[in-house]
Coordinates of all heavy atoms in Angstrom, one line a residue:
V1 N 13.7 -3.6 7.6 CA 15.0 -4.0 7.0 C 16.1 -3.9 8.1 O 17.0 -4.7 8.2 CB 15.3 -3.1 5.8 CG1 16.7 -3.3 5.4 CG2 14.3 -3.4 4.7
M2 N 16.0 -2.9 9.0 CA 16.9 -2.8 10.1 C 16.9 -3.9 11.1 O 17.9 -4.4 11.5 CB 16.8 -1.4 10.8 CG 17.3 -0.2 10.0 SD 17.4 1.3 11.0 CE 15.7 1.7 11.2
I3 N 15.6 -4.4 11.3 CA 15.5 -5.6 12.2 C 16.1 -6.8 11.5 O 16.8 -7.6 12.2 CB 14.0 -5.8 12.5 CG1 13.4 -4.7 13.4 CG2 13.8 -7.1 13.1 CD1 11.9 -4.8 13.6
L4 N 15.9 -6.9 10.3 CA 16.5 -8.1 9.5 C 18.0 -8.0 9.5 O 18.7 -9.0 9.7 CB 15.9 -8.1 8.1 CG 14.4 -8.4 8.0 CD1 14.0 -8.4 6.5 CD2 14.1 -9.8 8.6
I5 N 18.6 -6.8 9.3 CA 20.0 -6.7 9.3 C 20.6 -7.0 10.7 O 21.6 -7.7 10.9 CB 20.5 -5.3 8.8 CG1 20.2 -5.1 7.3 CG2 21.9 -5.0 9.1 CD1 20.4 -3.8 6.8
F6 N 19.9 -6.5 11.7 CA 20.3 -6.7 13.1 C 20.2 -8.2 13.5 O 21.1 -8.7 14.1 CB 19.5 -5.9 14.1 CG 20.0 -5.9 15.5 CD1 21.1 -5.1 15.8 CD2 19.3 -6.6 16.4 CE1 21.6 -5.1 17.1 CE2 19.9 -6.6 17.8 CZ 21.0 -5.9 18.0
A7 N 19.2 -8.9 13.0 CA 19.1 -10.3 13.2 C 20.2 -11.1 12.4 O 20.7 -12.1 13.0 CB 17.7 -10.8 12.6
S8 N 20.6 -10.6 11.3 CA 21.7 -11.2 10.6 C 23.1 -11.0 11.3 O 23.9 -11.9 11.3 CB 21.7 -10.7 9.2 OG 22.9 -11.2 8.6
I9 N 23.3 -9.8 11.8 CA 24.5 -9.6 12.6 C 24.6 -10.4 13.8 O 25.7 -11.0 14.1 CB 24.5 -8.1 13.0 CG1 24.7 -7.2 11.7 CG2 25.6 -7.8 13.9 CD1 24.6 -5.7 12.0
N10 N 23.5 -10.6 14.6 CA 23.6 -11.3 15.9 C 23.2 -12.7 15.8 O 23.1 -13.5 16.8 CB 22.7 -10.6 16.8 CG 23.2 -9.3 17.3 OD1 24.4 -9.0 17.2 ND2 22.3 -8.3 17.5
D11 N 22.9 -13.2 14.6 CA 22.5 -14.6 14.4 C 21.2 -14.9 15.3 O 21.2 -16.0 16.0 CB 23.6 -15.7 14.7 CG 24.4 -15.8 13.4 OD1 23.9 -15.6 12.3 OD2 25.6 -16.3 13.6
S12 N 20.3 -14.0 15.3 CA 19.1 -14.2 16.1 C 17.8 -14.5 15.2 O 17.3 -13.6 14.6 CB 18.8 -12.9 16.9 OG 19.9 -12.6 17.8
A13 N 17.5 -15.8 15.1 CA 16.4 -16.1 14.3 C 15.0 -15.7 14.8 O 14.1 -15.4 14.0 CB 16.4 -17.6 14.1
F14 N 14.9 -15.4 16.1 CA 13.6 -15.0 16.7 C 13.3 -13.6 16.3 O 12.1 -13.2 16.2 CB 13.6 -15.1 18.2 CG 14.5 -14.1 18.9 CD1 13.9 -12.9 19.4 CD2 15.8 -14.4 19.2 CE1 14.7 -12.0 20.1 CE2 16.6 -13.5 19.8 CZ 16.1 -12.3 20.2
L15 N 14.2 -12.8 15.8 CA 14.0 -11.5 15.4 C 13.3 -11.4 14.0 O 12.5 -10.5 13.7 CB 15.3 -10.6 15.3 CG 15.9 -10.2 16.7 CD1 17.2 -9.5 16.4 CD2 14.9 -9.3 17.5
L16 N 13.4 -12.5 13.3 CA 12.6 -12.6 12.0 C 11.1 -12.7 12.3 O 10.4 -12.2 11.5 CB 13.2 -13.9 11.3 CG 14.6 -13.9 10.9 CD1 15.0 -15.2 10.2 CD2 15.0 -12.7 10.0
D17 N 10.7 -13.4 13.3 CA 9.3 -13.4 13.7 C 8.8 -12.0 14.0 O 7.7 -11.6 13.6 CB 9.1 -14.3 14.9 CG 9.5 -15.7 14.7 OD1 9.4 -16.1 13.5 OD2 9.8 -16.5 15.6
F18 N 9.6 -11.2 14.7 CA 9.2 -9.8 15.0 C 9.1 -9.0 13.8 O 8.2 -8.2 13.6 CB 10.2 -9.1 16.0 CG 10.1 -9.6 17.4 CD1 11.2 -10.3 18.0 CD2 8.9 -9.5 18.1 CE1 11.1 -10.7 19.3 CE2 8.8 -10.0 19.4 CZ 10.0 -10.7 20.0
A19 N 10.0 -9.2 12.8 CA 9.9 -8.5 11.5 C 8.7 -8.9 10.8 O 8.0 -8.0 10.2 CB 11.2 -8.8 10.7
I20 N 8.4 -10.2 10.8 CA 7.1 -10.6 10.1 C 5.8 -10.0 10.7 O 4.9 -9.5 10.1 CB 7.0 -12.1 10.0 CG1 8.1 -12.6 9.1 CG2 5.6 -12.6 9.5 CD1 8.3 -14.2 9.2
I21 N 5.8 -10.0 12.0 CA 4.7 -9.4 12.8 C 4.5 -7.9 12.5 O 3.5 -7.4 12.3 CB 4.8 -9.7 14.3 CG1 4.6 -11.3 14.5 CG2 3.8 -8.9 15.1 CD1 4.9 -11.7 15.9
Y22 N 5.7 -7.3 12.6 CA 5.7 -5.8 12.3 C 5.3 -5.5 10.9 O 4.6 -4.5 10.7 CB 7.1 -5.2 12.6 CG 7.2 -3.7 12.6 CD1 6.7 -3.0 13.7 CD2 7.7 -3.0 11.5 CE1 6.7 -1.6 13.7 CE2 7.7 -1.7 11.5 CZ 7.2 -1.0 12.6 OH 7.2 0.4 12.6
T23 N 5.7 -6.3 10.0 CA 5.2 -6.1 8.6 C 3.8 -6.3 8.4 O 3.1 -5.4 7.8 CB 6.0 -7.2 7.6 OG1 7.4 -7.0 7.8 CG2 5.6 -7.0 6.2
L24 N 3.2 -7.3 9.0 CA 1.7 -7.5 8.8 C 1.0 -6.4 9.6 O 0.0 -5.9 9.0 CB 1.4 -8.9 9.4 CG 1.9 -10.1 8.6 CD1 1.6 -11.3 9.4 CD2 1.3 -10.1 7.2
S25 N 1.4 -6.0 10.7 CA 0.7 -5.0 11.4 C 0.8 -3.6 10.7 O -0.1 -2.8 10.6 CB 1.2 -4.8 12.9 OG 2.5 -4.4 12.9
G26 N 2.0 -3.4 10.1 CA 2.1 -2.1 9.4 C 1.3 -2.1 8.1 O 0.6 -1.1 7.8
F27 N 1.2 -3.2 7.4 CA 0.4 -3.4 6.2 C -1.1 -3.1 6.5 O -1.8 -2.3 5.9 CB 0.6 -4.7 5.5 CG -0.3 -5.0 4.4 CD1 -0.1 -4.2 3.2 CD2 -1.3 -5.8 4.5 CE1 -0.9 -4.5 2.1 CE2 -2.2 -6.0 3.4 CZ -2.0 -5.4 2.2
I28 N -1.5 -3.8 7.6 CA -2.9 -3.6 8.0 C -3.3 -2.2 8.4 O -4.3 -1.7 8.1 CB -3.3 -4.7 9.1 CG1 -3.3 -6.1 8.5 CG2 -4.7 -4.4 9.7 CD1 -3.4 -7.2 9.5
G29 N -2.3 -1.6 9.1 CA -2.5 -0.2 9.6 C -2.6 0.7 8.4 O -3.4 1.6 8.4
I30 N -1.7 0.6 7.5 CA -1.7 1.5 6.3 C -3.0 1.3 5.5 O -3.6 2.3 5.1 CB -0.5 1.1 5.4 CG1 0.8 1.6 6.0 CG2 -0.7 1.7 4.0 CD1 0.9 3.1 6.1
I31 N -3.5 0.1 5.3 CA -4.8 -0.2 4.6 C -6.0 0.5 5.4 O -6.8 1.2 4.7 CB -5.1 -1.6 4.5 CG1 -4.0 -2.3 3.6 CG2 -6.5 -2.0 3.9 CD1 -4.0 -1.8 2.1
F32 N -6.0 0.4 6.7 CA -7.1 1.0 7.5 C -7.0 2.5 7.4 O -8.1 3.1 7.3 CB -7.1 0.5 8.9 CG -7.7 -0.8 9.0 CD1 -7.2 -1.8 10.0 CD2 -8.8 -1.3 8.3 CE1 -7.7 -3.0 10.1 CE2 -9.3 -2.5 8.5 CZ -8.9 -3.4 9.4
I33 N -5.9 3.1 7.5 CA -5.8 4.6 7.4 C -6.1 5.0 6.0 O -6.8 6.1 5.9 CB -4.3 5.0 7.8 CG1 -4.0 4.7 9.3 CG2 -4.1 6.4 7.5 CD1 -2.6 4.9 9.6
A34 N -5.7 4.4 5.0 CA -6.0 4.8 3.6 C -7.6 4.7 3.4 O -8.2 5.5 2.8 CB -5.3 3.9 2.6
L35 N -8.2 3.6 3.9 CA -9.7 3.4 3.7 C -10.4 4.6 4.5 O -11.3 5.1 4.0 CB -10.1 2.1 4.2 CG -9.7 0.9 3.3 CD1 -10.1 -0.4 3.9 CD2 -10.4 1.1 1.9
F36 N -9.9 4.9 5.7 CA -10.5 5.9 6.5 C -10.4 7.2 5.8 O -11.3 8.0 5.8 CB -9.8 6.0 7.9 CG -10.3 7.2 8.7 CD1 -11.5 7.2 9.3 CD2 -9.4 8.2 8.8 CE1 -11.9 8.2 10.0 CE2 -9.8 9.3 9.6 CZ -11.0 9.4 10.2
L37 N -9.3 7.5 5.3 CA -9.1 8.8 4.6 C -9.9 9.0 3.3 O -10.4 10.0 3.0 CB -7.6 9.1 4.2 CG -6.7 9.3 5.5 CD1 -5.3 9.4 5.0 CD2 -7.1 10.5 6.2
A38 N -10.0 7.9 2.6 CA -10.8 7.9 1.4 C -12.3 8.0 1.7 O -13.0 8.7 1.0 CB -10.6 6.6 0.6
E39 N -12.8 7.4 2.8 CA -14.2 7.5 3.2 C -14.4 8.9 3.7 O -15.5 9.5 3.4 CB -14.5 6.5 4.3 CG -15.9 6.5 4.7 CD -16.8 5.9 3.6 OE1 -16.4 5.1 2.9 OE2 -18.0 6.4 3.6

């Protein structure tokens, strides 16, 4: 959310790509960690 707000402040559309990539990597990381802990 901070990346998205900063992109809105600076009118930087390329930061939205970074936010999407960070979201996907965070989601995949959480899933792997949860599966590891459950196993």
Side-chain angles (χ1 to χ4, degrees):
V1 173
M2 286 190 289
I3 290 172
L4 294 175
I5 290 173
F6 190 74
S8 174
I9 290 171
N10 292 330
D11 276 339
S12 301
F14 72 93
L15 288 176
L16 300 176
D17 296 334
F18 288 119
I20 292 171
I21 291 169
Y22 190 76
T23 303
L24 291 174
S25 65
F27 175 72
I28 291 170
I30 289 292
I31 295 297
F32 282 140
I33 291 171
L35 289 174
F36 172 75
L37 292 174
E39 185 67 30

